[in-house]
PDB file of all heavy atoms in Angstrom:
ATOM      1  N   THR A 217      -4.600  -0.520  -1.098  1.00 96.00           N
ATOM      2  CA  THR A 217      -5.467   0.500  -1.691  1.00 96.00           C
ATOM      3  C   THR A 217      -6.382   1.140  -0.642  1.00 96.00           C
ATOM      4  O   THR A 217      -6.850   2.253  -0.836  1.00 96.00           O
ATOM      5  CB  THR A 217      -6.347  -0.100  -2.818  1.00 96.00           C
ATOM      6  OG1 THR A 217      -6.903  -1.328  -2.359  1.00 96.00           O
ATOM      7  CG2 THR A 217      -5.531  -0.344  -4.071  1.00 96.00           C
ATOM      8  N   THR A 218      -6.642   0.441   0.464  1.00 96.00           N
ATOM      9  CA  THR A 218      -7.579   0.978   1.465  1.00 96.00           C
ATOM     10  C   THR A 218      -6.904   1.441   2.758  1.00 96.00           C
ATOM     11  O   THR A 218      -7.584   1.904   3.666  1.00 96.00           O
ATOM     12  CB  THR A 218      -8.638  -0.082   1.843  1.00 96.00           C
ATOM     13  OG1 THR A 218      -7.974  -1.233   2.372  1.00 96.00           O
ATOM     14  CG2 THR A 218      -9.470  -0.482   0.637  1.00 96.00           C
ATOM     15  N   ARG A 219      -5.574   1.332   2.849  1.00 93.00           N
ATOM     16  CA  ARG A 219      -4.897   1.676   4.110  1.00 93.00           C
ATOM     17  C   ARG A 219      -5.257   3.089   4.590  1.00 93.00           C
ATOM     18  O   ARG A 219      -5.685   3.279   5.730  1.00 93.00           O
ATOM     19  CB  ARG A 219      -3.381   1.559   3.972  1.00 93.00           C
ATOM     20  CG  ARG A 219      -2.634   1.880   5.270  1.00 93.00           C
ATOM     21  CD  ARG A 219      -1.128   1.759   5.092  1.00 93.00           C
ATOM     22  NE  ARG A 219      -0.589   2.635   4.066  1.00 93.00           N
ATOM     23  CZ  ARG A 219      -0.315   3.931   4.262  1.00 93.00           C
ATOM     24  NH1 ARG A 219      -0.548   4.491   5.433  1.00 93.00           N
ATOM     25  NH2 ARG A 219       0.178   4.669   3.285  1.00 93.00           N
ATOM     26  N   ILE A 220      -5.138   4.082   3.700  1.00 94.00           N
ATOM     27  CA  ILE A 220      -5.375   5.457   4.164  1.00 94.00           C
ATOM     28  C   ILE A 220      -6.856   5.737   4.414  1.00 94.00           C
ATOM     29  O   ILE A 220      -7.207   6.773   4.986  1.00 94.00           O
ATOM     30  CB  ILE A 220      -4.795   6.507   3.181  1.00 94.00           C
ATOM     31  CG1 ILE A 220      -5.391   6.347   1.776  1.00 94.00           C
ATOM     32  CG2 ILE A 220      -3.277   6.425   3.142  1.00 94.00           C
ATOM     33  CD1 ILE A 220      -4.940   7.434   0.809  1.00 94.00           C
ATOM     34  N   ALA A 221      -7.720   4.794   4.042  1.00 96.00           N
ATOM     35  CA  ALA A 221      -9.149   4.959   4.358  1.00 96.00           C
ATOM     36  C   ALA A 221      -9.360   4.879   5.872  1.00 96.00           C
ATOM     37  O   ALA A 221     -10.439   5.179   6.369  1.00 96.00           O
ATOM     38  CB  ALA A 221      -9.986   3.902   3.654  1.00 96.00           C
ATOM     39  N   GLY A 222      -8.319   4.484   6.606  1.00 93.00           N
ATOM     40  CA  GLY A 222      -8.405   4.445   8.062  1.00 93.00           C
ATOM     41  C   GLY A 222      -8.151   5.800   8.699  1.00 93.00           C
ATOM     42  O   GLY A 222      -8.174   5.937   9.916  1.00 93.00           O
ATOM     43  N   SER A 223      -7.947   6.832   7.879  1.00 91.00           N
ATOM     44  CA  SER A 223      -7.616   8.167   8.400  1.00 91.00           C
ATOM     45  C   SER A 223      -8.786   8.830   9.118  1.00 91.00           C
ATOM     46  O   SER A 223      -9.938   8.455   8.919  1.00 91.00           O
ATOM     47  CB  SER A 223      -7.139   9.061   7.248  1.00 91.00           C
ATOM     48  OG  SER A 223      -6.020   8.470   6.603  1.00 91.00           O
ATOM     49  N   ASP A 224      -8.462   9.844   9.921  1.00 90.00           N
ATOM     50  CA  ASP A 224      -9.440  10.545  10.750  1.00 90.00           C
ATOM     51  C   ASP A 224     -10.432  11.378   9.920  1.00 90.00           C
ATOM     52  O   ASP A 224     -10.044  12.363   9.286  1.00 90.00           O
ATOM     53  CB  ASP A 224      -8.676  11.472  11.715  1.00 90.00           C
ATOM     54  CG  ASP A 224      -9.614  12.331  12.560  1.00 90.00           C
ATOM     55  OD1 ASP A 224     -10.786  11.947  12.706  1.00 90.00           O
ATOM     56  OD2 ASP A 224      -9.147  13.374  13.063  1.00 90.00           O
ATOM     57  N   PRO A 225     -11.709  10.993   9.902  1.00 94.00           N
ATOM     58  CA  PRO A 225     -12.705  11.720   9.096  1.00 94.00           C
ATOM     59  C   PRO A 225     -12.806  13.206   9.452  1.00 94.00           C
ATOM     60  O   PRO A 225     -12.870  14.056   8.569  1.00 94.00           O
ATOM     61  CB  PRO A 225     -14.018  10.995   9.416  1.00 94.00           C
ATOM     62  CG  PRO A 225     -13.606   9.624   9.805  1.00 94.00           C
ATOM     63  CD  PRO A 225     -12.295   9.801  10.542  1.00 94.00           C
ATOM     64  N   ALA A 226     -12.791  13.529  10.761  1.00 91.00           N
ATOM     65  CA  ALA A 226     -12.962  14.938  11.172  1.00 91.00           C
ATOM     66  C   ALA A 226     -11.878  15.821  10.555  1.00 91.00           C
ATOM     67  O   ALA A 226     -12.170  16.889   9.999  1.00 91.00           O
ATOM     68  CB  ALA A 226     -12.918  15.031  12.697  1.00 91.00           C
ATOM     69  N   LEU A 227     -10.631  15.350  10.632  1.00 90.00           N
ATOM     70  CA  LEU A 227      -9.519  16.125  10.063  1.00 90.00           C
ATOM     71  C   LEU A 227      -9.680  16.252   8.555  1.00 90.00           C
ATOM     72  O   LEU A 227      -9.541  17.335   7.973  1.00 90.00           O
ATOM     73  CB  LEU A 227      -8.186  15.432  10.384  1.00 90.00           C
ATOM     74  CG  LEU A 227      -6.956  15.997   9.665  1.00 90.00           C
ATOM     75  CD1 LEU A 227      -6.678  17.424  10.118  1.00 90.00           C
ATOM     76  CD2 LEU A 227      -5.731  15.119   9.908  1.00 90.00           C
ATOM     77  N   TRP A 228     -10.049  15.129   7.898  1.00 94.00           N
ATOM     78  CA  TRP A 228     -10.103  15.133   6.437  1.00 94.00           C
ATOM     79  C   TRP A 228     -11.269  15.935   5.872  1.00 94.00           C
ATOM     80  O   TRP A 228     -11.170  16.497   4.787  1.00 94.00           O
ATOM     81  CB  TRP A 228     -10.078  13.697   5.910  1.00 94.00           C
ATOM     82  CG  TRP A 228      -8.657  13.260   5.756  1.00 94.00           C
ATOM     83  CD1 TRP A 228      -7.913  12.529   6.648  1.00 94.00           C
ATOM     84  CD2 TRP A 228      -7.770  13.589   4.674  1.00 94.00           C
ATOM     85  NE1 TRP A 228      -6.624  12.397   6.179  1.00 94.00           N
ATOM     86  CE2 TRP A 228      -6.515  13.030   4.981  1.00 94.00           C
ATOM     87  CE3 TRP A 228      -7.932  14.310   3.488  1.00 94.00           C
ATOM     88  CZ2 TRP A 228      -5.416  13.157   4.134  1.00 94.00           C
ATOM     89  CZ3 TRP A 228      -6.838  14.435   2.647  1.00 94.00           C
ATOM     90  CH2 TRP A 228      -5.593  13.870   2.963  1.00 94.00           C
ATOM     91  N   VAL A 229     -12.366  16.012   6.614  1.00 95.00           N
ATOM     92  CA  VAL A 229     -13.465  16.865   6.161  1.00 95.00           C
ATOM     93  C   VAL A 229     -12.963  18.304   6.054  1.00 95.00           C
ATOM     94  O   VAL A 229     -13.248  19.013   5.084  1.00 95.00           O
ATOM     95  CB  VAL A 229     -14.670  16.782   7.124  1.00 95.00           C
ATOM     96  CG1 VAL A 229     -15.658  17.896   6.834  1.00 95.00           C
ATOM     97  CG2 VAL A 229     -15.360  15.423   6.997  1.00 95.00           C
ATOM     98  N   GLN A 230     -12.159  18.706   7.023  1.00 93.00           N
ATOM     99  CA  GLN A 230     -11.617  20.073   7.003  1.00 93.00           C
ATOM    100  C   GLN A 230     -10.649  20.282   5.838  1.00 93.00           C
ATOM    101  O   GLN A 230     -10.716  21.282   5.113  1.00 93.00           O
ATOM    102  CB  GLN A 230     -10.893  20.369   8.316  1.00 93.00           C
ATOM    103  CG  GLN A 230     -11.813  20.443   9.522  1.00 93.00           C
ATOM    104  CD  GLN A 230     -11.039  20.829  10.773  1.00 93.00           C
ATOM    105  OE1 GLN A 230     -10.019  21.498  10.719  1.00 93.00           O
ATOM    106  NE2 GLN A 230     -11.531  20.369  11.918  1.00 93.00           N
ATOM    107  N   ILE A 231      -9.741  19.299   5.660  1.00 94.00           N
ATOM    108  CA  ILE A 231      -8.750  19.422   4.581  1.00 94.00           C
ATOM    109  C   ILE A 231      -9.456  19.484   3.226  1.00 94.00           C
ATOM    110  O   ILE A 231      -9.183  20.353   2.391  1.00 94.00           O
ATOM    111  CB  ILE A 231      -7.773  18.231   4.608  1.00 94.00           C
ATOM    112  CG1 ILE A 231      -6.924  18.266   5.887  1.00 94.00           C
ATOM    113  CG2 ILE A 231      -6.886  18.234   3.366  1.00 94.00           C
ATOM    114  CD1 ILE A 231      -6.060  17.026   6.090  1.00 94.00           C
ATOM    115  N   LEU A 232     -10.402  18.560   3.011  1.00 96.00           N
ATOM    116  CA  LEU A 232     -11.089  18.467   1.720  1.00 96.00           C
ATOM    117  C   LEU A 232     -11.945  19.703   1.463  1.00 96.00           C
ATOM    118  O   LEU A 232     -12.014  20.197   0.336  1.00 96.00           O
ATOM    119  CB  LEU A 232     -11.935  17.200   1.667  1.00 96.00           C
ATOM    120  CG  LEU A 232     -11.127  15.898   1.686  1.00 96.00           C
ATOM    121  CD1 LEU A 232     -12.019  14.711   1.984  1.00 96.00           C
ATOM    122  CD2 LEU A 232     -10.390  15.719   0.361  1.00 96.00           C
ATOM    123  N   SER A 233     -12.583  20.225   2.524  1.00 95.00           N
ATOM    124  CA  SER A 233     -13.396  21.426   2.350  1.00 95.00           C
ATOM    125  C   SER A 233     -12.506  22.611   1.976  1.00 95.00           C
ATOM    126  O   SER A 233     -12.862  23.419   1.111  1.00 95.00           O
ATOM    127  CB  SER A 233     -14.147  21.745   3.646  1.00 95.00           C
ATOM    128  OG  SER A 233     -14.958  20.653   4.022  1.00 95.00           O
ATOM    129  N   ALA A 234     -11.341  22.679   2.615  1.00 94.00           N
ATOM    130  CA  ALA A 234     -10.433  23.804   2.363  1.00 94.00           C
ATOM    131  C   ALA A 234      -9.836  23.771   0.960  1.00 94.00           C
ATOM    132  O   ALA A 234      -9.438  24.792   0.414  1.00 94.00           O
ATOM    133  CB  ALA A 234      -9.316  23.809   3.406  1.00 94.00           C
ATOM    134  N   ASN A 235      -9.776  22.589   0.350  1.00 96.00           N
ATOM    135  CA  ASN A 235      -9.182  22.469  -0.985  1.00 96.00           C
ATOM    136  C   ASN A 235     -10.177  21.916  -2.005  1.00 96.00           C
ATOM    137  O   ASN A 235      -9.797  21.430  -3.072  1.00 96.00           O
ATOM    138  CB  ASN A 235      -7.938  21.563  -0.927  1.00 96.00           C
ATOM    139  CG  ASN A 235      -6.923  21.917  -2.004  1.00 96.00           C
ATOM    140  OD1 ASN A 235      -6.790  23.073  -2.394  1.00 96.00           O
ATOM    141  ND2 ASN A 235      -6.207  20.916  -2.505  1.00 96.00           N
ATOM    142  N   ALA A 236     -11.460  22.033  -1.690  1.00 97.00           N
ATOM    143  CA  ALA A 236     -12.526  21.427  -2.509  1.00 97.00           C
ATOM    144  C   ALA A 236     -12.449  21.837  -3.972  1.00 97.00           C
ATOM    145  O   ALA A 236     -12.578  20.999  -4.872  1.00 97.00           O
ATOM    146  CB  ALA A 236     -13.888  21.792  -1.923  1.00 97.00           C
ATOM    147  N   ALA A 237     -12.205  23.134  -4.226  1.00 97.00           N
ATOM    148  CA  ALA A 237     -12.214  23.633  -5.609  1.00 97.00           C
ATOM    149  C   ALA A 237     -11.134  22.957  -6.448  1.00 97.00           C
ATOM    150  O   ALA A 237     -11.269  22.839  -7.670  1.00 97.00           O
ATOM    151  CB  ALA A 237     -12.010  25.146  -5.615  1.00 97.00           C
TER     152      ALA A 237
END
Side-chain angles (χ1 to χ4, degrees):
Chain A
T217 46
T218 59
R219 181 180 59 81
I220 58 175
S223 302
D224 176 21
L227 170 65
W228 273 97
V229 167
Q230 292 184 28
I231 294 172
L232 294 166
S233 302
N235 208 32

